[in-house]
Amino acid sequence: MSLFNTVRNTIVPVHKEGYPFIAAFFVASLILGWIFKPLFWIGLLLTLWCAYFFRDPERMTPQDDDLVISPADGRVSSVQLVVPPAELNLGSEPMLRISVFMNVFNCHVNRSPARGRIVSVNYRSGSFVNAELDKASEDNERNGLVMETKHGQIGVVQIAGLVARRILCWANPNEPLDAGERFGLIRFGSRLDVFLPAGAAPRVTLGQTAIAGETVLAEFGSAKGPIVSRRS
């Protein structure tokens, strides 16, 4: 393997949405350094963090239509039966909701949890309380996708957090999505909720670390019940 390929495989790509922010952080660092030299190094560290925040690594996604893959990097903060948001039009009966909370150090590129076709995309304005709180599902700014899959309709909701001020979604109704395909991004710190129809069994537990495009959140058609974990 050449030196060029080694370097290319070591450096994680940065999503294009991050370029303006990285440039702004660097320019601010130069200005602050001109005023007071030590501030340049502080600004440079923040610039490097900004580049790290907008990283967009490749992922190896399981190709199995019975599996539901995590749409986000982060910590599993909720696994419970909840009535989905009204704007998703998924009915008034409780559905299995699995939530993944992203802090400011997680990769924030969002990926499709399954293969299917987008039925609808619904944006709702709202507040910006801590995305870890359960009420964030109803109160916070959010963007919801409904997908038609092999096992029925799945809801995916991007929820803004305490410091998040922009939800990006470049998926559109009637477009197909493959499992693990990128569809959006949230700045900075947020949560993803996945609403699943009957027949889905959780394959994660509270507090577990999830990796977007790789971690299996749930499984359809399995005789096994929810998994049990222990801390060690």
Side-chain angles (χ1 to χ4, degrees), residues 4 33 82 98 101 108 140 144 147 151 154 157 176:
F4 173 77
V82 178
I98 301 179
F101 174 75
H108 274 55
N140 279 23
M147 297 179 59
H151 297 283
I154 290 177
V157 184

Side-chain angles (χ1 to χ4, degrees), residues 17 110 121-128 140-145 157-161 164-170 183-192:
E17 292 289 342
N110 304 147
V121 179
N122 301 279
Y123 170 81
R124 289 290 183 274
S125 60
S127 57
F128 298 95
N140 279 23
E141 175 180 309
R142 61 188 184 270
N143 185 67
L145 283 73
V157 184
Q158 300 169 284
I159 302 174
R165 287 298 185 271
R166 183 76 188 278
I167 296 176
L168 301 177
C169 176
W170 45 81
F183 74 86
L185 183 151
I186 314 178
R187 309 190 297 248
F188 291 88
S190 43
R191 190 175 107 194
L192 264 288

Side-chain angles (χ1 to χ4, degrees), residues 67-80:
L67 302 179
V68 179
I69 311 302
S70 179
D73 283 18
R75 181 175 59 83
V76 177
S77 60
S78 174
V79 181
Q80 59 182 317

Side-chain angles (χ1 to χ4, degrees), residues 13-89:
V14 173
H15 196 278
K16 63 181 181 180
E17 292 289 342
Y19 294 161
F21 291 88
I22 297 169
F25 270 72
F26 184 68
V27 171
S29 301
L30 294 176
I31 295 173
L32 291 173
W34 181 74
I35 298 173
F36 183 53
K37 188 174 182 179
L39 292 178
F40 169 78
W41 300 108
I42 296 175
L44 185 60
L45 287 175
L46 291 175
T47 302
L48 293 175
W49 167 80
C50 188
Y52 178 73
F53 177 88
F54 283 104
R55 67 194 183 280
D56 184 16
E58 292 185 352
R59 298 288 164 81
M60 299 298 292
T61 303
Q63 298 299 295
D64 187 335
D65 288 345
D66 291 335
L67 302 179
V68 179
I69 311 302
S70 179
D73 283 18
R75 181 175 59 83
V76 177
S77 60
S78 174
V79 181
Q80 59 182 317
L81 292 174
V82 178
V83 176
E87 68 267 16
L88 297 183
N89 293 315

Side-chain angles (χ1 to χ4, degrees), residues 175-199:
E175 289 183 350
L177 278 180
D178 284 330
E181 185 176 347
R182 300 165 178 84
F183 74 86
L185 183 151
I186 314 178
R187 309 190 297 248
F188 291 88
S190 43
R191 190 175 107 194
L192 264 288
D193 286 350
V194 180
F195 291 88
L196 302 172

